[in-house]
Amino acid sequence: MRISLSQTTNRLALTAELSDDDRALAGKARLARRTATFNLPEEYNWELTHPDLLALAGLITFYPWIGNTLDLPFPVSRVFAETVNAVTNISLPNYSAHIPKRVTGPGSRPGLSFSAGVDSMAALALMPDDTAPVFTLRAPAPDGAHSLYKADVALYAISEMAKAGKHVHIVESDHEWVRDPVGFAVDPAPAVPLILVADKLNLDSIAFGTIAESSYATGKGKWTEYKDRVVYHRWRDLFEAVGLGSYNVTAGISEIGTSSIVRTSKFGYLAQSCIRGIPGRPCLACAKCFRKSLITASLSGEWPDKAQVSRMMAYRTVKAFLEPAPIRFEIILASGMASYDGDDPLLLALQSRVGAKEHDVSFTHSWYPPAMDLIPARYRESSIKAANRYLPKMTSKQIEDFRSFDNSSLIESKKDDVEQFRAILDINAKRPETTK
């Protein structure tokens, strides 16, 4: 693949030209568009940006469809070219030993891939005051495309934060439309705008709102060592090759923990993870809304009424989310439902289905100490102090429970409950009051 760059005013375009060894279809992801554009800050000039940053931005944007070689119209450092080849087997032939590796100067700071959701806002609360949050504003759908995405919540939060003196940089981009179905090409794709402005903002590291269920795979049902996973060390190595440390401050914190953090953090009241609703009014019809609403209820003790629960569980997307065994992020449902003591038959059925009273996952309310060892040393102590202000550290017993988490035996023992729960979901979905 060859990637070219062009700039008009502050609009940067990355355009991919496929070669014989590239692929237009990677799994279920089709390369729908071959140009991605970014509306960057005023006075941005890609020619003043370190070439390794530009190369990494292009690599991430088109990664699934790149074959054996990535050709660029400018040379990169030998360090970056060798790192890319070592971790991805992709060759970058245009490199120079005379181009030094990117390093940051005095006053460097971390950047955060910011969404204004719960996990992202929790990460911001744990990071230094000079952290630069960057929000990627998805460009409107191109002709013929459709999306339920709304940026209203994030833009409102950003506006309110600005009034309180916290500036969030906004980069409008259409790079999610490169992929069909629409979305980010690979896990670190939300950070492409941060990579492009890393020199301008003097960034030395990049953070995401990655939670423990994603980093340690407990959301999939079984604990896995994060630092041994390809998704961690591949991108860590590539980011470090361009002078950007991997600052995953929430990687050892559960979704329960991030929800606890935003309840008392400075801007936490603005956090809303639904991308289909409007400020203060999530759609309550998607799986994320359902999960987040139960987490909030478990922490506040204020549970949704029976009619609302029935409506949510009747929505096609929520019903489809709840039917598999295991449910994605089932550990969160088990943790949240453990405190439920009401009489709603649907919530009681869910509580039984996920074994909330049988499976102790109380470690989700604490932070995992070894995860802090993975963030840059210069930010480690302050991040630990910040985490301690909001959450307790896991005890030795909780660490053991976390590391040994595997709900496969629970799922096996719950086969009858799973079928019964699916039947309950079907009955609820057909009730007259939920089908209006």
Side-chain angles (χ1 to χ4, degrees):
M1 179 180 290
R2 180 175 177 80
I3 297 178
S4 59
L5 285 78
S6 62
Q7 182 174 349
T8 304
T9 61
N10 66 322
R11 187 179 183 86
L12 178 70
L14 306 180
T15 300
E17 180 183 341
L18 270 62
S19 303
D20 291 342
D21 62 336
D22 296 323
R23 47 194 171 271
L25 184 66
K28 296 181 179 179
R30 182 175 64 89
L31 180 60
R33 306 178 75 200
R34 300 190 182 187
T35 296
T37 60
F38 303 84
N39 288 337
L40 297 162
E42 292 183 8
E43 300 180 0
Y44 178 85
N45 185 345
W46 74 267
E47 294 180 341
L48 300 179
T49 300
H50 195 290
D52 292 353
L53 292 173
L54 300 171
L56 180 58
L59 175 71
I60 291 175
T61 300
F62 297 104
Y63 182 78
W65 306 285
I66 300 174
N68 301 321
T69 304
L70 176 58
D71 286 315
L72 298 165
F74 52 82
V76 298
S77 73
R78 173 179 284 175
V79 170
F80 182 70
E82 291 178 345
T83 302
V84 171
N85 187 246
V87 302
T88 69
N89 289 323
I90 295 173
S91 172
L92 273 70
N94 192 2
Y95 67 87
S96 171
H98 300 293
I99 296 177
K101 175 184 175 180
R102 176 184 179 268
V103 294
T104 52
S108 64
R109 55 181 174 155
L112 169 64
S113 180
F114 185 71
S115 69
V118 169
D119 307 324
S120 177
M121 201 70 83
L124 183 64
L126 302 181
M127 296 177 72
D129 291 338
D130 65 348
T131 295
V134 177
F135 171 67
T136 302
L137 174 62
R138 184 193 290 179
D143 293 342
H146 175 68
S147 173
L148 297 174
Y149 169 84
K150 294 178 181 178
D152 304 50
V153 170
L155 294 177
Y156 172 76
I158 291 168
S159 174
E160 292 299 300
M161 292 166 71
K163 294 175 184 177
K166 185 62 177 180
H167 179 61
V168 178
H169 304 269
I170 300 175
V171 175
E172 184 178 17
S173 174
D174 59 8
H175 75 300
E176 290 183 72
W177 293 107
V178 163
R179 181 184 186 274
D180 180 24
V182 62
F184 295 115
V186 287
D187 288 318
V192 170
L194 281 92
I195 295 168
L196 291 171
V197 300
D199 277 348
K200 186 175 180 62
L201 299 181
N202 199 15
L203 303 184
D204 58 26
S205 55
I206 286 184
F208 302 87
T210 306
I211 53 174
E213 286 74 33
S214 297
S215 55
Y216 291 94
T218 50
K220 294 182 177 180
K222 183 178 181 180
W223 186 90
T224 304
E225 178 59 72
Y226 184 32
K227 64 184 179 182
D228 291 341
R229 299 181 64 198
V230 171
V231 71
Y232 172 76
H233 59 73
R234 170 188 290 160
W235 300 114
R236 176 206 59 192
D237 291 351
L238 291 172
F239 275 67
E240 290 182 351
V242 298
L244 293 171
S246 181
Y247 192 176
N248 290 332
V249 68
T250 55
I253 299 175
S254 167
E255 191 175 25
I256 298 290
T258 56
S259 298
S260 294
I261 290 171
V262 300
R263 286 173 61 81
T264 56
S265 62
K266 183 176 181 179
F267 297 114
Y269 72 99
L270 295 168
Q272 184 175 310
S273 295
C274 179
I275 59 173
R276 299 180 180 180
I278 59 177
R281 290 177 57 190
C283 76
L284 298 180
C286 66
K288 183 176 287 186
C289 274
F290 179 77
R291 192 174 72 246
K292 294 288 187 182
S293 67
L294 293 189
I295 294 172
T296 299
S298 71
L299 295 173
S300 67
E302 300 175 1
W303 294 85
D305 62 38
K306 294 178 182 178
Q308 182 178 335
V309 171
S310 178
R311 283 195 300 272
M312 284 195 293
M313 293 176 72
Y315 284 114
R316 178 179 55 81
T317 52
V318 177
K319 184 172 177 288
F321 163 68
L322 292 172
E323 286 178 329
I327 300 169
R328 184 171 181 268
F329 284 74
E330 182 165 320
I331 184 175
I332 294 302
L333 297 179
S335 180
M337 295 307 301
S339 62
Y340 182 69
D341 60 358
D343 61 359
D344 185 331
L346 287 173
L347 290 183
L348 289 173
L350 177 61
Q351 185 182 63
S352 175
R353 157 67 184 82
V354 298
K357 296 294 187 180
E358 308 160 39
H359 206 35
D360 182 11
V361 292
S362 58
F363 55 78
T364 55
H365 291 267
S366 305
W367 61 271
Y368 179 57
M372 291 297 186
D373 295 336
L374 304 180
I375 68 176
R378 65 177 297 188
Y379 299 121
R380 196 169 300 150
E381 183 177 351
S382 63
S383 298
I384 290 173
K385 287 182 179 178
N388 280 327
R389 286 198 297 269
Y390 296 103
L391 301 169
K393 181 171 70 172
M394 284 189 192
T395 64
S396 298
K397 175 64 165 56
Q398 287 178 323
I399 291 174
E400 181 182 347
D401 290 345
F402 179 48
R403 287 176 171 169
S404 61
F405 177 77
D406 182 351
N407 70 349
S408 57
S409 59
L410 177 71
I411 292 299
E412 182 64 26
S413 68
K414 287 281 183 180
K415 282 185 176 180
D416 292 341
D417 290 327
V418 168
E419 293 305 318
Q420 183 179 359
F421 183 66
R422 287 171 178 163
I424 291 172
L425 289 175
D426 287 339
I427 293 171
N428 177 67
K430 295 174 183 177
R431 292 173 59 187
E433 59 268 36
T434 65
T435 55
K436 292 179 180 177

